[in-house]
Amino acid sequence: IDPPYNTGSDGFVYNDNFNFTVEELATKLSIDEEQARRILDLTKRGSASHSAWLMFMYPRLLLARDLLTDDGVIFISIDDNECHNLKLLCDDVFGEENCLGVIANTNNPKGRSDDKYIATAHEYVLVYSKNISTVKWYGFEPTEKIIKRYNKTDSEGNKYREIDLRKTGENDLREDRPNLFYYFYYSEKTGDFFPDREDFSKEGYIQIKPQREDGRDGNWRWGIETSKEQISLLTAKFMPTRKVWGVMQKDYLKGRALVKPTTSWTFKDVNSERGTEEFIELGFDKRIFPKPKPLGTIKRCLELSTTENDIVLDFFSGSSTTAHAVFIQNLKDSGNRKFIVIQIGEKVKSDSEAEKAGFYTIDQIGMDRIIRAAKKIKEENPSTTADLGFKHYTLQEPNRTTLDKLEEFVPNDQGSFPANDILTDFGTQTVLTTWLIRDGYGFNENAEAIDFEGYTGYYINKHLYLIDSGITREAIAAMVDKYDMDGSFNAENVVLFGYSFDWTTIEELKMNLARLKDTEKNLRVNFDVRY
């Protein structure tokens, strides 16, 4: 996520009145009182602006934590204005032990010219896991410079390099870590090679110990049990410059072809200032969306934390850089990552270049970018079969009148039903989409519309959805016939929109479909009435 930085000029609007009680805040944010108390404790530490920002971020991070898979990771871009507050907030939400690191992301090597004392050259990326014990972390692909270090090849053609097993640096004396001091014994004649703690002389064997440059006893990097387990990766070697025998580890490129990231991402690493250039390359005027996030930063995040079939969520999506980056990463490794990018329908500024270009809300800019990015990728890679499409969903609340009717509605009452109001507010497709997601079919599956004597039902796999009112006896009979006559139609679950059906109709449906148990299909149909 790339949330508002609270710089005073990024459009973040806040309310400086925080005289909430614990109970009021718990109700306002739909959280428990313990969480509400922690928020209030945090917000009392700073100015009204910082308090507002923390109040804004806290419930969103709670949701993010709940949405993450157990092996998932969240990356959060931020600058100096709220970095330290955000670290405290994330420690509280995700747990301090789940912090993978704080990255300094260089986005302006020359520094900001308008800074008064010290020219700021970088921002930050905070990285947290859902669960440090199960997190999946992949590192970066090695560069050609790194690959060249693996200059040896074994009998099977695998590249490796040799690393001195002797420990160097801090705590490298024998007395510092006595458990890491032991001997290796090597026979030049037979090739036998083994570690042992005993200091003994054996005819025909060379005794090798970890010896520092000054001649003092040192340590090995591995304990003796690891050396015994990994003995096939170790070899004895005479060190001409030191005139002693040493032990070398075979460090293979295969199986560890990923490079651990550092806490500093240079401008060259992420091309941070190219966010605007990448936006222009898609045919946009740079004034339409100032300072879009660069692809390089997001691509590095994807490379570190995702594999081919993961879902990537960005709930401050802005110009949809994340969606664009997912397309590119899928193209790179033939992946099938899916993205969900969320942007509030924030209006662009009146008489701005965005409005002049025909964009009225920020999400419209993001959607257009996805379309242009897909077109550009297809033009540059005409043979690709990658999925470069997306679906657009909007969130909408029912009007107050409809809510009142829902609150007053009593199932099985023969009075008026609010189904028409709900379907007028939202449409049948919205109810259907909501249920498809709830039942595990996801955002991308489509249910088949089936005509039952003038009444439309929606069928997918094991579910038949009945949403609209006005079902007739003829429609119910046609539904039973469909079960009887169509061998491919096996909806074990019939889901009804409860507002559209009275008790009598529901019972008639149950009675007619219950007869299927006594037919050749021997199918027991489950009924689920939802409101």
Side-chain angles (χ1 to χ4, degrees), residues 286-313:
K286 68 178 181 180
R287 294 170 294 180
I288 288 176
F289 192 94
K291 299 180 180 178
K293 210 69 181 171
L295 284 167
T297 301
I298 310 300
K299 285 192 291 186
R300 285 174 78 83
C301 295
L302 295 177
E303 190 175 355
L304 286 170
S305 62
T306 69
T307 52
E308 288 82 355
N309 294 305
D310 284 337
I311 298 174
V312 182
L313 171 66

Side-chain angles (χ1 to χ4, degrees), residues 199-214:
D199 179 5
F200 60 85
S201 62
K202 189 173 182 180
E203 187 176 349
Y205 280 81
I206 299 167
Q207 183 192 69
I208 307 171
K209 65 179 181 177
Q211 192 171 13
R212 290 173 23 126
E213 303 289 349
D214 59 8

Side-chain angles (χ1 to χ4, degrees), residues 495-527:
V495 182
L496 290 84
F497 192 41
Y499 300 113
S500 296
F501 298 87
D502 59 27
W503 181 84
T504 303
T505 305
I506 293 174
E507 288 303 305
E508 187 173 349
L509 267 167
K510 287 182 177 179
M511 181 180 66
N512 278 275
L513 295 181
R515 291 185 301 155
L516 294 170
K517 191 175 184 303
D518 300 322
T519 65
E520 289 184 7
K521 278 199 171 182
N522 190 25
L523 184 65
R524 181 186 293 274
V525 178
N526 303 307
F527 278 85

Side-chain angles (χ1 to χ4, degrees), residues 18 44 60-61 73 81 114 123 140 166 175 301 309 342 344 366 379 397 421 443 448 451 478 496:
F18 299 104
K44 288 174 183 175
R60 288 163 172 79
L61 292 177
V73 181
N81 288 284
D114 54 350
E123 294 177 351
F140 298 127
R166 182 174 55 101
E175 52 265 33
C301 295
N309 294 305
I342 303 170
I344 192 171
E379 288 173 350
E397 295 183 4
D421 300 85
F443 286 93
E448 176 190 359
D451 183 358
L496 290 84

Side-chain angles (χ1 to χ4, degrees), residues 317-346:
S317 66
S319 71
S320 294
T321 302
T322 295
H324 190 172
V326 169
F327 281 162
I328 293 174
Q329 189 65 28
N330 280 342
L331 192 70
K332 179 180 177 181
D333 61 12
S334 301
N336 189 35
R337 295 169 186 81
K338 297 178 177 65
F339 60 77
I340 303 173
V341 292
I342 303 170
Q343 175 59 46
I344 192 171
E346 179 184 347

